[in-house]
Amino acid sequence: MTDWRATGIGFLTIVVLSVFGVVAPGLGQLTAGLIGGFVAGYLAGGGLGSGFWHGLLAGSLGGIIAGVILTLVVAVAGFALGPAGAAISSVVGAGIFLVAVVLAVVMALESAVAGALGAAINP
């Protein structure tokens, strides 16, 4: 059974650290995914499988939100640049979607592994 509290706290950890990861190049979003997945798995407990699942959920939500934010930033930039910007952002749209999907998968997998580790540490 899914502990949505643990998943939500892990997700919020990913979001907060991702914001700081944009400013601090050494951290980045991958570190945020690892720490958020660890937090979700640790709070959920229940063994490796449970930690893996909760870390996966937290990372997936974080990756989806990061993809949506990336899409919005490109859309606003395209709108701000007028017709030429709209044409450029239309062409780049497929690439943005691909980057968002890859980002979501990578964040989900790394968070899942960190979640399993967090659950293994929780007594």
Side-chain angles (χ1 to χ4, degrees), residues 4-106:
W4 288 106
R5 179 181 163 274
T7 302
I9 292 173
F11 165 71
L12 289 175
T13 303
I14 290 172
V15 170
V16 169
L17 292 178
S18 290
V19 169
F20 289 116
V22 170
V23 178
L27 295 176
Q29 279 66 37
L30 296 178
T31 304
L34 284 172
I35 295 172
F38 181 85
V39 168
Y42 183 81
L43 291 176
L48 294 176
S50 175
F52 186 89
W53 174 248
H54 288 88
L56 182 74
L57 286 175
S60 298
L61 291 172
I64 290 169
I65 296 300
V68 167
I69 290 171
L70 177 65
T71 303
L72 289 174
V73 165
V74 170
V76 168
F79 180 74
L81 294 175
I88 292 170
S89 64
S90 311
V91 171
V92 179
I96 293 170
F97 177 74
L98 181 63
V99 167
V101 168
V102 169
L103 180 67
V105 169
V106 168

